[in-house]
Amino acid sequence: MVAQDEERLGWQEMEQGQLENAEVHFRRALELDPYRADALNGLGQVYLSWGDFEQAQELFQMAIAQAQEDLPHHQRHTSWEDVNIRPYLRGLYHLAVTLFRQGLWDEACEPLEELVAWDTEAIGQDGYYLLGMLQLRANRPTEAVECFQQSLSRYPEAFYSVGLAHFLQGQLTDARQAWADALAVIPDLSLFITNYPALLPFPLWQSDDETFVRTSRYVDDMVDLWTPEAKEELGRCMKA
């Protein structure tokens, strides 16, 4: 079996949540081709899922370094549609996620800024969403709003974060408008935000519902940034 086939089986096992089997296939792919960037990405995602951030970070950095050799340096902004840059974009995004999970906000911004320089759609929207969270944590709400707005079509829960960023700047009218939009597209999330920590969503693995998964992830990543005053104002919008 060739490296590409082993890598494909690894991604299939990942999609089914079979991390141990995925690890075996990705390692076999790398035994056959040690320079295969997406096999490194896949193995990194396995370790990221296991919470082994140090190992995941090393693998993503190796994947990025290897993928750079196939980049079309004469032409940037080729986007996700160019298969030659997909391993590079995957590596950048998941490296940023790994750094984010470790609380390394500033370090995580650099790969995301590189990511969105290549792709503003597809995985680029994932990058903008994560970059918005980092900007808000770095007390840069104006920049956070710009990033979140780039991700709204893929991440409707970002309306809540847009409203929060406006609220933290004293822009109450803009905050209320954003929260009205949020309540229109993903209303259940407001209950968890306003009642946290008394009300918590179940862990992600206990639900296949996409909206509920988004709710759980948002609570994990963002709810600690919500001040009591912001929660109170969101509560007023819920009653309006």
Side-chain angles (χ1 to χ4, degrees):
M1 186 175 289
V2 299
Q4 184 176 1
D5 293 333
E6 289 287 359
E7 180 190 301
R8 177 178 51 80
L9 291 172
W11 289 116
Q12 289 177 357
E13 296 287 2
M14 279 283 291
E15 291 177 1
Q16 298 172 14
Q18 302 298 319
L19 298 181
E20 291 83 2
N21 293 341
E23 180 192 18
V24 170
H25 287 297
F26 287 132
R27 287 195 179 280
R28 287 176 181 169
L30 290 168
E31 288 173 3
L32 295 166
D33 182 358
Y35 305 105
R36 195 162 183 83
D38 253 354
L40 291 165
N41 277 327
L43 191 58
Q45 286 185 236
V46 169
Y47 281 100
L48 177 59
S49 298
W50 284 337
D52 189 340
F53 300 126
E54 183 176 348
Q55 185 66 50
Q57 181 175 337
E58 181 178 349
L59 287 162
F60 292 134
Q61 288 170 333
M62 291 170 61
I64 291 167
Q66 186 58 43
Q68 282 178 323
E69 297 185 10
D70 295 324
L71 292 179
H73 292 288
H74 63 284
Q75 182 183 4
R76 219 171 187 193
H77 302 288
T78 57
S79 86
W80 182 257
E81 297 304 317
D82 186 340
V83 296
N84 291 319
I85 72 168
R86 289 182 186 178
Y88 184 59
L89 299 182
R90 285 194 189 100
L92 290 170
Y93 178 73
H94 287 100
L95 174 60
V97 171
T98 303
L99 295 169
F100 178 85
R101 298 298 180 202
Q102 297 176 84
L104 302 173
W105 319 128
D106 291 337
E107 291 89 336
C109 284
E110 183 176 349
L112 289 174
E113 289 169 348
E114 172 70 1
L115 169 64
V116 298
W118 283 90
D119 182 28
T120 58
E121 302 296 332
I123 196 172
Q125 290 199 34
D126 297 337
Y128 274 121
Y129 182 65
L130 185 55
L131 187 56
M133 289 192 283
L134 293 168
Q135 298 285 20
L136 199 52
R137 288 186 176 280
N139 196 29
R140 295 190 287 264
T142 300
E143 293 85 347
V145 168
E146 294 175 358
C147 290
F148 285 131
Q149 287 175 336
Q150 292 284 346
S151 70
L152 287 172
S153 63
R154 188 174 177 92
Y155 291 93
E157 60 269 36
F159 278 113
Y160 284 100
S161 298
V162 171
L164 175 61
H166 282 308
F167 182 84
L168 294 175
Q169 296 178 87
Q171 300 166 349
L172 189 55
T173 299
D174 290 335
R176 288 171 175 166
Q177 180 59 60
W179 287 336
D181 294 334
L183 290 166
V185 294
I186 185 168
D188 291 347
L189 179 53
S190 63
L191 296 174
F192 292 102
I193 294 173
T194 54
N195 291 283
Y196 180 87
L199 183 63
L200 294 171
F202 292 110
L204 297 179
W205 58 268
Q206 291 188 359
S207 177
D208 294 326
D209 180 80
E210 181 180 357
T211 299
F212 197 79
V213 168
R214 289 179 178 275
T215 296
S216 300
R217 186 174 293 118
Y218 187 94
V219 169
D220 287 341
D221 291 339
M222 288 290 295
V223 78
D224 62 299
L225 296 175
W226 283 74
T227 64
E229 295 79 11
K231 292 181 183 180
E232 184 177 354
E233 187 58 39
L234 175 59
R236 293 193 187 99
C237 292
M238 294 165 61
K239 297 175 182 176

